[in-house]
């Protein structure tokens, strides 16, 4: 994997974690996400 792609994946991961982290527990629940799953969801976002 090249450096630019790695950086973009890292940036997308951090942005996803930040956006989900700002959501309330209720909003996350409405999306079917538990607060403890935020990092896993962010990893899945860059994988697919």
């Amino acid at each position: 994997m090249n450096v630019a792609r790695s950086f973009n994946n890292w940036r997308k991961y951090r942005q996803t974690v930040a956006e989900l982290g700002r959501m309330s527990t209720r909003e996350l629940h409405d999306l079917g996400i538990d607060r403890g799953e935020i990092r896993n969801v962010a990893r899945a976002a860059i994988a697919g």
Side-chain angles (χ1 to χ4, degrees):
M1 191 179 295
N2 65 31
V3 175
R5 184 178 298 154
S6 294
F7 177 75
N8 285 333
N9 284 344
W10 173 81
R11 192 169 44 91
K12 185 176 182 180
Y13 170 82
R14 293 301 306 152
Q15 181 179 4
T16 304
V17 169
E19 288 179 11
L20 292 174
R22 284 190 296 268
M23 296 178 98
S24 70
T25 301
R26 173 68 182 220
E27 291 170 322
L28 290 171
H29 180 73
D30 288 346
L31 295 173
I33 302 170
D34 288 327
R35 191 158 296 280
E37 296 175 325
I38 290 175
R39 288 190 174 117
N40 291 336
V41 171
R43 280 189 205 100
I46 64 172

